[in-house]
């Protein structure tokens, strides 16, 4: 197992290196460079100014040279400065990373806490009234557009009822835990509804599949009630496909909540990455995208480990 | 589980009523966060919005669009003797300008604003590695002679019509920044204290100073105790960034914000709808300004080369109906690129009110006759069809496009809409002159600004000039070139007005671009706020923030 994980880790490093080349090339090949964007905002910038600024920012050098320079600095731990915020990339990343991890972890856990019990209830009587209702809720959950749900929640809880703030990470000048929690409620609720819908469908499907297995019939024949059989035998087996879905979902943690972050003015990694790419902020975009890639790879490796823990039949050759 | 969730939600909501802010704090919503707070590095409206509260330019335009002193005590003119014409041996004509810094101007840490600051600003601004994007205001200055700690004389390379306007010369605190700059000019842009220590009191001498910055979220400003002018009414101003404008509106309605900045706030159509729904609770003020929406056709395309065709394109559309229907009449139709508020504006130019028959006649004269499918064709069988682009996702422009497309179709002209992301449109399609048809976008100018970069023939982007200049249409007219050059050096106001009239007449008849309308900024204020003066030009409302107050 340890050797397997080490090998996967090694492969991950290679994937990260390849992704860094690809991302750098893709951003570099996008139409217009940062100076073009500057010129479109200030028509008085002369061609001499443009040439001077390109040289200053190193944009007059070939893409591969710029990549090698970036790579050299990155390997020394220097991720450079962000053009978008005129600060060190490492200083900018920390707060949005924290915000996103909190937001996504809470919505992921709550999503699972809502989805698994509902799936168990639904699986007890497939196609019965409860199952149909739960299915309907699941479809509604993952079909509803995030921005629409978010705005609806803002209108209800912030504008009409005045219970919760409409956006932000915390109140201005009040970074207390209470303020942060109040600001988290609506974005977490939005993402939980979206996540729960997806997890609910997967868990229910997996449970129904397991219910038809021979060992389930044996369990029932031995006198176990349906509820007991579902909890003790069906659920652990149904967790395998759900683990895959969650692992893939966690991988999108750092970039997946863009819409929610935008609507709730919640400063997270999704919006930061999007802005960095649009503004041709190479250093920031590279760091943010590689972080997301690294997390995806890590989650997949962890999922492999979890498979083995959930199902003793799963073994990895050392 | 659901019950637990609801219970949790209610618990968090308890006591969650939005706090009613005392009226000594003003919370402003904007849709953009500044990339830097350094006055000269990068040009961004969000920065100007904040910076105008903390710093003041030497000179700038007031709400009346007239040049005035902000940091100086008196505008130098040839008449008052503070400006002096100089003729050099090489035949060039320059000017010497003497300014005096307001004697009460003091940085927030108590250090007076002096000529040391002026010298440092000039030295760093003209340095090629400082990161300053547009160095013109610094490189035009050949020398600075210091008379005392407050008075200095600039020697400027050329005597221009606006010789005493040094609006872009934003003084930097030498006692805070010089050490940082001198250590390594090439990395100054990354180490300036405006970004590394933005709450340093020595970075502001305006009515407010920055006391807190949350990158990407908000900036908090508080009254600057060393400010020498009128004491502002609000102790604190919070400028909060919410990029999504429906969310911006929701925050205003929820009471998290007091107002939305007009310069960086709601799109016009959203503001109109907002006013209809919530007009009783807020003041909505529409200020038209120097953002000029227009159409540019690539004049290398034979279809557009005939002036009669360009005139027919304008005759075919009802621009007044367009702005009435789409923008509630809030955006005035443009006759040329000169705004009606500009003193050089000439309203006697041809106006091209909608005249479909005239449009058809002009097209016939130019050789375009109706084709079998209703689209006109010329003698060579070429259909009058072109690609029509604008910035994808800009709802206002997309509506305008559809309006124009429908009206042109009535006279047999086919416009095929193909919109592009802004960066593709500006960075390649236009600036590399890759467009073959027409583009809809806006230019931003300043009061009495000769349109050299957009109309002079030397400003047609090409590989030879490294794609500089913004004359994307490829318009070349010797008289227009001569007029622009003459305006730049004509000092007599009356004579300059004549030149401007002729230039506008040529613009309105030659139609290097098809004028549509001047954009309006919707400012949303609470009912209790008064004294905000939107200007419509680049010297924006926060330059007069000390006059904002709570209504009695």
């Amino acid at each position: 197992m340890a050797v397997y994980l080490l090998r996967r880790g090694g492969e991950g490093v290679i994937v990260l290196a390849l992704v860094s080349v690809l991302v750098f090339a893709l951003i570099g090949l996008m139409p217009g460079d940062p100076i073009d964007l500057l010129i479109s905002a200030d028509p008085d910038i002369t061609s001499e100014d443009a040439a001077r600024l390109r040289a200053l920012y190193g944009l007059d050098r070939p893409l591969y040279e710029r990549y090698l320079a970036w790579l050299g600095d990155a390997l020394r731990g220097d991720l450079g400065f962000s053009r978008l915020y005129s600060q060190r990339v490492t200083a900018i990343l920390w707060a949005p990373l924290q915000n996103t991890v909190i937001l996504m972890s809470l919505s992921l856990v709550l999503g699972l806490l809502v989805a698994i019990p509902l799936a168990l209830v639904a699986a007890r009587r497939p196609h019965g009234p409860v199952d149909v209702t739960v299915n309907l809720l699941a479809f509604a959950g993952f079909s509803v557009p995030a921005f629409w749900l978010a705005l609806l929640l803002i209108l209800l809880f912030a504008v009409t009822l005045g219970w919760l703030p409409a956006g932000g990470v915390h109140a201005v000048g009040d970074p207390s835990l209470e303020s942060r929690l109040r600001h988290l409620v609506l974005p977490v609720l939005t993402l939980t509804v979206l996540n729960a819908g997806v997890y609910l469908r997967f868990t229910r499907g997996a449970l129904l599949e397991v219910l038809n297995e021979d060992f389930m019939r044996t369990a029932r024949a031995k006198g176990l009630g349906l509820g007991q059989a579902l909890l003790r035998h069906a659920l652990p087996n149904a967790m395998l496909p759900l683990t895959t879905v969650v692992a893939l979902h966690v991988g999108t943690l750092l970039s997946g909540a863009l819409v929610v972050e935008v609507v709730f003015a919640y400063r997270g990694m999704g919006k930061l990455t999007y802005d960095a790419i649009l503004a041709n902020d190479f250093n920031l975009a590279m760091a943010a995208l590689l972080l997301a890639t690294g997390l995806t790879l890590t989650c997949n490796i962890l999922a492999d480990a979890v498979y083995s823990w959930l199902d003793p039949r799963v073994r990895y050759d050392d | 589980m659901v019950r637990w969730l609801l219970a949790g939600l209610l618990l968090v909501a308890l006591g969650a009523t939005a706090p009613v802010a005392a009226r000594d704090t003003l919370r402003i919503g904007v849709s953009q966060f500044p990339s830097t707070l350094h006055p000269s590095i990068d040009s961004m409206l969000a920065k100007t919005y904040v910076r105008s509260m903390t710093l003041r330019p030497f000179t700038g335009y007031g709400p009346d669009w007239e040049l005035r002193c902000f940091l100086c005590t008196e505008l130098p003119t040839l008449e008052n003797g503070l400006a002096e014409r100089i003729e050099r041996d090489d035949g060039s004509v320059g000017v010497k300008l003497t300014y005096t810094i307001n004697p009460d101007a003091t940085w927030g840490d108590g250090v007076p604003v002096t000529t040391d600051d002026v010298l440092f600003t000039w030295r760093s601004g003209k340095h090629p590695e400082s990161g300053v994007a547009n160095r013109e205001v610094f490189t035009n200055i050949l020398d600075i002679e210091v008379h005392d700690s407050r008075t200095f004389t600039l020697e400027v390379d050329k005597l221009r019509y606006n010789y005493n306007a040094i609006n872009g010369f934003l003084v930097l605190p030498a006692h805070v920044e010089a050490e940082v700059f001198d250590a390594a000019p090439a990395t100054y842009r990354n180490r300036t204290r405006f970004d590394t220590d933005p709450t340093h009191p020595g970075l502001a001498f305006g009515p407010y100073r920055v006391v807190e910055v949350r990158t990407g979220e908000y900036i908090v400003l508080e009254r600057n105790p060393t400010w020498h002018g009128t004491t502002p009414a609000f102790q604190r101003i919070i400028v909060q960034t919410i990029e999504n404008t429906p969310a911006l509106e929701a925050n205003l309605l929820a009471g998290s914000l007091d107002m939305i900045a007009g310069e960086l706030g709601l799109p016009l159509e959203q503001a109109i709808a907002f006013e209809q729904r919530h007009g009783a609770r807020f003041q909505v003020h529409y200020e038209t300004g120097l953002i000029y929406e227009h159409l540019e056709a690539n004049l290398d395309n034979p279809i557009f080369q005939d002036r009669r065709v360009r005139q027919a394109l304008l005759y075919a559309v009802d621009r007044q109906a367009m702005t009435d229907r789409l923008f509630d009449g809030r955006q005035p139709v443009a006759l040329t690129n000169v705004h009606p508020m500009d003193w050089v504006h000439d309203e006697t130019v041809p106006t091209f009110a909608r005249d479909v028959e005239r449009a058809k006649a002009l097209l016939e004269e130019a050789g375009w006759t109706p084709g079998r499918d209703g689209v006109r064709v010329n003698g060579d069988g070429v259909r009058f069809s072109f690609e029509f682009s604008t910035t994808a996702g800009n709802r206002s422009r997309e509506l305008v496009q559809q309006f124009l497309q429908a009206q042109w179709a009535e006279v047999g002209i086919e416009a095929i809409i193909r919109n592009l992301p802004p960066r593709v449109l500006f960075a390649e399609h236009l600036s590399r002159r890759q467009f073959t048809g027409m583009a809809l976008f806006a230019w931003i100018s300043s009061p009495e600004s000769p349109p050299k970069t957009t109309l002079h023939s030397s400003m047609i982007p090409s590989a030879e000039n490294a794609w500089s200049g913004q004359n994307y249409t490829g318009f070349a007219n010797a008289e227009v070139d001569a007029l622009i050059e003459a305006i730049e050096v004509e000092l007599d106001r009356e004579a300059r007005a004549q030149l401007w009239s002729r230039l506008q007449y040529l613009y309105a008849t030659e139609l290097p671009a098809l004028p549509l309308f001047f954009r309006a900024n919707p400012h949303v204020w609470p009912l209790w706020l008064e004294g905000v003066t939107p200007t419509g030009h680049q010297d924006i409302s926060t330059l007069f923030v000390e006059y904002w107050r709570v209504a009695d």
Side-chain angles (χ1 to χ4, degrees):
Chain A
M1 182 71 168
V3 173
Y4 171 80
L5 291 178
L6 275 175
R7 198 178 70 232
R8 289 293 307 270
E11 286 166 6
V13 172
I14 295 168
V15 172
L16 269 180
L18 290 174
V19 167
S20 75
V21 174
L22 192 70
V23 169
F24 202 91
L26 284 175
I27 301 176
L29 293 173
M30 279 165 69
D33 63 24
I35 308 306
D36 285 321
L37 300 179
L38 206 62
I39 293 168
S40 66
D42 184 354
D44 292 331
I45 289 177
T46 62
S47 55
E48 290 78 20
D49 282 330
R52 173 178 57 81
L53 290 169
R54 282 201 175 90
L56 194 62
Y57 288 104
L59 296 168
D60 56 344
R61 290 149 62 196
L63 201 58
Y64 75 89
E65 265 188 38
R66 281 151 58 195
Y67 173 73
L68 290 175
W70 173 85
L71 187 64
D73 289 342
L75 289 174
R76 284 193 296 273
D78 178 7
L79 293 174
F81 278 86
S82 157
R83 274 197 66 258
L84 202 53
Y85 295 108
S86 302
Q87 287 177 41
R88 282 206 168 276
V89 165
T90 40
I92 297 168
L93 280 177
W94 182 236
L97 183 63
Q98 258 185 320
N99 293 340
T100 296
V101 168
I102 293 169
L103 171 68
M104 298 300 280
S105 309
L106 281 176
S107 58
L108 191 140
V109 171
L110 284 175
L112 287 170
L113 288 177
V114 171
I116 294 172
L118 283 179
L120 283 167
V121 172
R124 284 177 72 97
R125 299 236 190 312
H127 311 297
V130 175
D131 185 35
V132 169
T133 310
V134 167
N135 261 325
L136 204 68
L137 286 175
F139 275 116
F142 65 74
S143 307
V144 66
F147 73 92
W148 182 82
L149 179 63
L151 282 175
L152 206 70
L153 290 173
I154 290 177
L155 286 176
L156 178 63
F157 290 104
V159 176
T160 308
L161 299 172
W163 288 0
L164 293 163
V169 177
H170 57 71
V172 174
D174 177 17
S176 65
L177 181 65
E178 188 215 339
S179 175
R180 284 177 181 273
L181 281 175
R182 285 185 47 218
H183 284 77
L184 265 171
V185 173
L186 293 183
V188 166
L189 189 59
T190 309
L191 286 172
T192 300
V193 170
L194 300 174
N195 289 345
V198 177
Y199 301 154
L200 182 51
R201 287 290 300 163
F202 268 94
T203 315
R204 177 190 168 275
L207 282 171
L208 292 184
E209 211 168 293
V210 175
L211 279 174
N212 291 326
E213 297 284 340
D214 290 343
F215 68 85
M216 287 303 294
R217 269 193 291 276
T218 309
R220 294 298 307 277
K222 279 166 59 185
L224 266 184
L226 180 58
Q228 293 271 34
L230 273 169
L231 269 177
R232 283 194 197 167
H233 299 289
L235 188 59
N237 284 285
M239 290 305 281
L240 283 176
L242 186 64
T243 305
T244 310
V245 174
V246 171
L248 289 173
H249 217 167
V250 171
T252 62
L253 275 181
L254 298 190
S255 54
L258 176 63
V259 174
V260 171
E261 286 174 13
V262 168
V263 176
F264 288 106
Y266 189 89
R267 189 168 152 72
M269 289 299 292
K271 184 71 175 53
L272 190 80
T273 311
Y274 176 77
D275 287 344
I277 293 170
L278 274 194
N280 246 335
D281 189 341
F282 273 86
N283 292 340
L284 188 55
M286 287 294 288
L289 287 166
L290 288 179
L291 206 57
T293 311
L295 191 74
T296 307
L297 292 168
T298 309
C299 287
N300 276 295
I301 294 170
L302 285 177
D304 286 347
V306 171
Y307 290 151
S308 169
W309 176 68
L310 284 173
D311 186 349
R313 291 169 299 176
V314 177
R315 288 280 176 271
Y316 300 106
D317 291 335
D318 283 352
Chain B
M1 174 55 65
V2 175
R3 265 190 306 181
W4 277 108
L5 277 175
L6 283 174
L9 185 66
L10 285 170
L11 270 176
V12 176
L14 281 177
T17 312
V20 177
R23 289 285 155 80
D24 64 348
T25 298
L26 183 68
R27 296 160 304 175
I28 307 172
V30 296
S31 57
Q32 191 184 59
F33 192 86
S35 61
T36 170
L37 290 176
H38 190 287
S40 309
I41 296 173
D42 234 340
S43 58
M44 205 172 182
L45 195 49
K47 181 182 73 177
T48 307
Y49 196 83
V50 174
R51 186 260 292 155
S52 296
M53 294 191 255
T54 60
L55 295 169
R56 292 293 153 90
F58 270 101
T59 61
Y61 292 98
D64 56 0
W65 292 39
E66 292 292 331
L67 192 70
R68 60 166 75 172
C69 263
F70 283 92
L71 180 58
C72 53
T73 54
E74 188 178 4
L75 275 180
T77 63
L78 295 169
E79 291 74 30
N80 68 16
L82 293 173
E84 180 196 347
R85 177 189 167 98
I86 47 170
E87 291 183 16
R88 303 191 186 91
D89 294 342
D90 61 1
S92 64
V93 177
V95 65
K96 284 190 171 182
L97 304 162
T98 299
Y99 294 89
T100 299
I101 300 167
N102 187 311
D104 297 322
T106 307
W107 296 102
D109 55 2
V111 175
V113 180
T114 68
T115 41
D116 285 346
D117 300 319
V118 173
L119 288 172
F120 168 67
T121 305
W122 180 51
R123 183 162 63 85
S124 60
K126 67 179 181 169
H127 195 288
E129 293 184 322
S130 64
V132 172
N134 183 358
R135 294 188 307 153
E136 198 178 16
V137 68
F138 304 110
T139 53
N140 285 349
I141 297 169
L142 303 179
D143 190 28
I144 298 181
E145 186 185 345
V146 170
H147 303 292
D148 56 46
S149 65
R150 299 282 184 173
T151 307
F152 60 96
T153 297
L154 305 180
E155 184 185 337
V156 179
D157 62 342
K158 193 172 169 182
L159 181 56
R160 297 174 178 83
Y161 73 98
N162 59 347
Y163 59 87
N164 51 7
I166 51 168
N167 305 8
F169 196 104
L170 293 156
V171 74
L172 303 173
H175 67 291
V176 179
E177 287 287 278
E179 180 192 358
V180 183
F181 176 80
D182 291 331
T187 57
Y188 170 61
R189 65 185 188 281
N190 293 330
R191 295 179 298 105
T192 168
R193 292 210 167 103
F194 282 96
D195 293 323
T196 58
D197 186 14
T199 59
H200 191 301
L203 298 173
F205 64 82
Y208 288 93
R209 65 185 188 86
V210 173
V211 294
E212 188 184 353
V213 177
R214 291 280 299 187
T215 304
E217 295 177 50
Y218 59 80
I219 296 174
V220 182
L221 302 112
E222 279 183 5
R223 261 188 223 138
N224 181 2
T226 65
W227 165 241
H228 56 279
T230 303
T231 305
F234 298 100
Q235 171 63 29
R236 295 172 91 212
I237 288 186
I238 299 163
V239 181
Q240 192 161 358
T241 303
I242 300 173
E243 294 181 22
N244 179 269
T245 58
L248 193 60
E249 181 182 324
N251 273 270
L252 183 72
L253 291 170
S256 319
L257 298 171
D258 295 315
M259 62 176 272
I260 295 177
E263 293 89 347
L264 280 162
L266 303 181
L268 186 70
E269 61 276 13
Q270 189 183 340
I272 291 168
F274 176 85
E275 188 182 17
Q276 285 164 357
R277 290 195 303 271
H278 309 289
R281 289 173 55 198
F282 295 92
Q283 309 173 63
V284 182
H285 173 90
Y286 302 89
E287 185 73 25
T288 79
L290 286 165
I291 304 178
Y292 166 59
E293 292 281 351
H294 65 287
L295 301 166
E296 292 206 0
N298 189 332
L299 300 180
D300 291 350
N301 183 338
I303 290 180
F304 301 114
Q305 282 174 353
D306 192 322
R307 184 179 65 174
R308 291 169 298 185
V309 168
R310 303 200 291 272
Q311 292 179 343
L313 281 161
L314 211 47
Y315 272 126
V317 296
D318 190 340
R319 291 173 292 168
Q320 189 58 53
M322 180 178 73
T323 175
D324 286 345
R325 283 185 215 159
L326 300 181
F327 308 118
D328 204 22
R330 303 288 184 183
Q331 315 211 90
V333 169
L335 303 180
T336 65
N337 57 336
V338 178
H339 192 277
M341 276 283 285
D342 203 325
W343 76 271
V344 296
H345 175 69
D346 185 347
E347 58 188 20
T348 64
V349 297
T351 55
F352 294 93
R354 191 180 196 216
D355 187 340
V356 173
E357 293 312 313
R358 181 92 182 101
K360 287 178 178 172
L362 280 167
L363 289 169
E364 300 277 345
E365 274 178 43
W368 294 95
T369 53
R372 296 173 73 179
D373 61 353
V375 176
R376 289 177 182 270
V377 288
N378 66 10
D380 299 328
V382 176
R383 295 171 82 244
F384 199 136
S385 175
F386 58 87
E387 259 185 20
F388 186 18
S389 307
T390 192
T391 44
N394 184 319
R395 191 171 141 69
S396 296
R397 286 189 181 144
E398 286 168 354
L399 288 171
V400 169
Q401 265 188 319
Q402 288 162 23
F403 186 94
L404 295 171
Q405 187 187 42
Q407 295 213 323
W408 283 333
E410 285 180 39
V411 296
I413 294 171
E414 183 182 60
I416 300 165
I417 292 174
R418 181 183 162 237
N419 291 338
L420 299 163
R423 61 183 300 153
V424 180
L425 183 77
F426 292 112
E428 285 195 344
H429 201 62
L430 288 168
S431 62
R432 299 290 199 272
R433 301 196 70 226
Q434 289 174 354
F435 70 123
T436 56
M438 198 174 279
L440 162 62
F441 63 100
W443 282 128
I444 304 170
S445 63
S446 50
E448 205 196 337
S449 172
K452 186 171 182 180
T453 57
T454 55
L455 283 188
H456 198 281
S457 60
S458 65
M459 292 290 170
I460 301 172
S462 65
E464 289 70 42
N465 66 11
W467 305 107
S468 65
Q470 280 83 40
N471 185 347
Y472 300 145
T473 63
F475 178 74
N477 180 302
E479 189 181 357
V480 168
D481 286 355
L483 282 166
I484 291 170
E485 287 161 18
I487 285 170
E488 280 191 331
V489 292
E490 179 56 66
L491 303 183
D492 182 76
R493 202 170 155 97
E494 203 49 47
R496 210 158 68 242
Q498 295 298 318
L499 295 170
W500 270 106
S501 284
R502 178 65 186 158
L503 183 63
Q504 286 167 84
Y505 176 79
L506 287 173
Y507 195 99
T509 50
E510 290 293 325
L511 293 174
L514 308 186
L516 292 178
F517 53 85
F518 288 100
R519 215 190 285 169
N521 285 333
H523 297 252
V524 186
W525 305 319
L527 295 175
W528 48 262
L529 182 68
E530 61 182 31
V532 185
T533 47
T535 63
H537 53 68
Q538 77 276 23
D539 294 330
I540 57 180
S541 58
T542 48
L543 206 49
F544 311 94
V545 68
E546 61 268 37
Y547 304 110
W548 299 9
R549 59 194 173 274
V550 179
D552 296 329

